[in-house]
Amino acid sequence: MTAFDEELARPDLRGIIVAVSPEGAIGLDGRIPWHHSADLKRFKRLTMGTAIVMGRLTWESIGGKPLPGRRNVVITGRPLDGVEHYASLADALAHLSGPIWFIGGARLYAEALAHANLLDVTYVPEPVPSPRAVRFPAIDERDWEAGPLEPHDDPALKIRRYRRRHAS
Ligand SMILES: NC(=O)c1ccc[n+]([C@@H]2O[C@H](COP(=O)([O-])OP(=O)(O)OC[C@H]3O[C@@H](n4cnc5c(N)ncnc54)[C@H](OP(=O)(O)O)[C@@H]3O)[C@@H](O)[C@H]2O)c1
């Protein structure tokens, strides 16, 4: 386990994990418009054993089946079978303890930014020029201190982590 992995195992972790294109796109037509198996492996490694919180459309995009080894939590105003779900992010957070990852999509990230203490961003090289692309919300550097651009297991990718400047 690296020092960073240990930091991620903090019980008070409330992390956002996301992969973005050069334009800041995260999704297109209900899916992620690239495939990087090393990033999926990293996502699995970082989120294993934690609670993962997602929006309803992201839940549908993963096939409506829980990702194994993690407490899957969906935010939706609709009835939903087969998974723990809440009508609001505040309601979900009131029921969760221990390390939490907010895993998308854009609508969920937009609200989760106010609750997160760490952002973990993977940069992929594929352009997504479509006007239909769903984008990651702006990161306000008054709230977030950017770490250095770091190498990824896949040399085509890079990682940057941001830490909250003040306690949330
Ligand atoms: N690149 C990445 O790292 C990454 C990661 C995850 C997802 N994605 C992509 O992102 C796209 C989906 O993003 P999206 O923004 O369209 O959808 P989303 O955030 O996954 O889901 C939106 C739905 O979730 C519920 N929801 C989300 N946040 C809520 C909140 N704060 N309060 C109440 N309800 C909330 C609502 O459900 P109801 O309508 O049921 O009430 C809303 O319609 C897909 O293309 C997916 O593949 C990319």
Side-chain angles (χ1 to χ4, degrees):
M1 189 182 256
T2 67
F4 178 55
D5 287 352
E6 281 173 27
E7 183 185 343
L8 295 182
R10 285 168 31 183
D12 67 340
L13 173 73
R14 288 186 174 194
I16 282 179
I17 186 163
V18 64
V20 301
S21 79
E23 309 86 350
I26 66 163
L28 181 66
D29 300 337
R31 61 183 197 90
I32 297 177
W34 54 76
H35 180 81
H36 292 287
S37 57
D39 201 46
L40 296 178
K41 286 197 186 97
R42 181 174 182 270
F43 173 86
K44 185 174 179 182
R45 179 168 61 83
L46 296 188
T47 59
M48 194 51 67
T50 72
I52 53 173
V53 180
M54 70 197 91
R56 194 251 311 163
L57 294 174
T58 294
W59 168 249
E60 289 178 1
S61 79
I62 63 169
K65 284 192 302 192
L67 296 179
R70 286 147 280 193
R71 181 174 173 180
N72 287 241
V73 177
V74 178
I75 310 302
T76 179
R78 305 177 183 197
L80 198 59
D81 285 334
V83 69
E84 182 177 359
H85 60 93
Y86 298 96
S88 71
L89 187 54
D91 198 9
L93 291 172
H95 287 85
L96 294 175
S97 58
I100 297 169
W101 282 108
F102 304 107
I103 69 162
R107 176 156 171 213
L108 190 279
Y109 287 141
E111 188 174 353
L113 271 169
H115 300 276
N117 50 24
L118 183 124
L119 313 181
D120 183 284
V121 184
T122 293
Y123 297 96
V124 306
E126 290 84 358
V128 185
S130 170
R132 297 190 313 281
V134 172
R135 288 169 179 272
F136 192 75
I139 298 172
D140 188 338
E141 299 225 351
R142 288 171 300 183
D143 295 332
W144 295 97
E145 182 180 355
L149 208 53
E150 296 178 44
H152 191 288
D153 289 342
D154 179 339
L157 310 180
K158 297 280 185 217
I159 301 162
R160 194 191 302 278
R161 297 186 303 259
Y162 294 78
R163 286 179 182 74
R164 184 173 286 287
R165 290 187 188 278
H166 310 290
S168 56

